[in-house]
Amino acid sequence: MQVNLSGSEWKLMNRLWAHSPRTITELTAELKEETGWGKNTIITMLGRLEAKGAVRHEEGARAKRYFPAIPKEDAARAETESFLSRVYGGSLGLMMSAMVESRQLTEADIAELSAILEKAGGEEA
């Protein structure tokens, strides 16, 4: 399942991926200082995320308990594919070229990418 998340939804989902389950009260307390969101904003966002299939809830003794319904890795992969498609026409090479030309890659980044490419090159199709 591919779910596209807004920047705000990523903030809420990251809380749920880090610690689940969470109630609306807990999420509001955890996100209030960083975002300024109140209870009604959290309720609205959770409703949107449930409609997208990203979040599910269970009825608790006193309050609903919310859980992520998708793995973070799946959401990150979908976001990466969407970004590449929108910004670079789906070309990873074009994106990497832009990063190299703007000198955005550190030596550690280059080493990590080399290891990833070496691993990919060693895999048989």
Side-chain angles (χ1 to χ4, degrees):
M1 166 184 281
Q2 188 165 348
V3 176
N4 294 318
L5 302 174
S6 71
S8 296
E9 290 169 339
W10 272 99
K11 287 181 183 182
L12 196 148
M13 289 300 298
N14 278 326
R15 293 293 173 152
L16 289 174
W17 283 314
H19 305 285
S20 287
R22 282 288 185 252
T23 65
I24 290 169
T25 301
E26 290 169 331
L27 287 167
T28 302
E30 292 172 11
L31 290 165
K32 182 76 169 171
E33 187 174 323
E34 176 188 350
T35 64
W37 298 338
K39 181 179 177 181
N40 290 335
T41 300
I42 300 291
I43 291 169
T44 299
M45 289 181 67
L46 286 169
R48 263 194 252 139
L49 287 165
E50 278 193 291
K52 289 181 176 186
V55 168
R56 66 181 180 80
H57 78 270
E58 294 176 359
E59 296 294 332
R62 302 182 106 198
K64 291 180 182 177
R65 299 172 4 173
Y66 289 86
F67 301 81
I70 57 172
K72 185 174 186 176
E73 296 76 19
D74 289 356
R77 187 175 306 109
E79 183 74 19
T80 301
E81 290 170 2
S82 175
F83 172 78
L84 275 176
S85 178
R86 283 189 327 271
V87 178
Y88 294 102
S91 172
L92 179 59
L94 184 58
M95 182 188 80
M96 293 307 301
S97 177
M99 296 290 289
V100 168
E101 288 175 17
S102 66
R103 304 197 188 285
Q104 295 292 314
L105 296 175
T106 65
E107 286 190 32
D109 292 334
I110 293 168
E112 183 178 0
L113 288 169
S114 293
I116 291 168
L117 292 172
E118 187 174 312
K119 180 181 175 186
E123 293 178 5
E124 296 188 23

